[in-house]
Amino acid sequence: MTYQSHLSNPIRSGVARVVRSPVVRTASLMGLCAAYIQGPLTKIFDFSGALSEIEHFGLHPASFFAVAVIVFELTASAMVISGFLRWAGALALAGFTLLATLIALRFWEMAPGMDRMMATNAFFEHLGLSGAFVFVAAFDLTKGAGK
C-alpha cells in the first residue's frame, strides 16, 4: 500500500462516520426540504400574497391551489425528514419542483439581461434540487436491498 492509501482509510472512515450520523442525516434532509418548509409558512402568514402568487401563474381557484400547495409541501417535507415513506415524499417533491420550475422559470422566453440570467440560474438550481430528491428516493428504496 502507498502512503496515500494508508492515510485515506482512517480519514475516509472518520468522514463516513460523521456523514452517516443521525444528526447530520436529519440536518441534511431538513436543509434539502428548507424551501418546502419556509415557502408554506410564508404563504400561511401572508395568505393574500400567496393568492397573488397563485393568480400570477394563472391557477384558479387561487385559494384552493394555495391551500393545496401549503399542505402538499409541508406533508411531503415531513415524510422526507421523518423517514415515513421517504421515497414517496422525495419523488413527490422532485416532480413538484420540476413542474413548478417549468411554469415559473421560463427563462427561454425572456429577453436577454439580468432577469433572464437569474431565471436561468434558478432553473438549473431547481433541476439540481429535483435530482437530489430523486437520489434520496433511490437511496431509500435500495438501502434495504443491500445496494
Side-chain angles (χ1 to χ4, degrees):
M1 278 192 178
T2 66
Y3 178 72
Q4 185 78 17
S5 63
H6 283 294
L7 285 179
S8 66
N9 288 335
I11 293 170
R12 181 181 170 144
S13 296
V15 170
R17 196 170 26 261
V18 169
V19 298
R20 285 192 313 231
S21 74
V23 170
V24 171
R25 180 178 50 246
T26 301
S28 298
L29 291 169
M30 288 176 73
L32 185 61
C33 293
Y36 305 93
I37 298 167
Q38 173 271 328
L41 293 177
T42 299
K43 285 175 178 61
I44 290 168
F45 293 116
D46 181 13
F47 198 70
S48 64
L51 295 176
S52 295
E53 179 186 30
I54 296 292
E55 289 169 353
H56 170 78
F57 293 113
L59 301 171
H60 299 286
S63 57
F64 168 79
F65 281 102
V67 170
V69 166
I70 290 167
V71 171
F72 170 79
E73 288 183 303
L74 290 175
T75 301
S77 294
M79 292 168 70
V80 170
I81 295 166
S82 71
F84 176 74
L85 295 174
R86 177 176 287 139
W87 64 270
L91 288 177
L93 287 172
F96 174 82
T97 301
L98 188 58
L99 181 63
T101 300
L102 291 170
I103 292 170
L105 296 169
R106 302 172 70 83
F107 68 90
W108 55 89
E109 295 177 350
M110 300 173 79
M114 179 65 85
D115 288 342
R116 181 180 178 150
M117 183 173 54
M118 291 176 64
T120 302
N121 288 342
F123 181 91
F124 286 99
E125 288 169 357
H126 284 80
L127 286 184
L129 187 55
S130 292
F133 279 119
V134 171
F135 189 83
V136 167
F139 183 80
D140 195 61
L141 287 168
T142 60
K143 70 180 178 185
K147 295 180 183 175

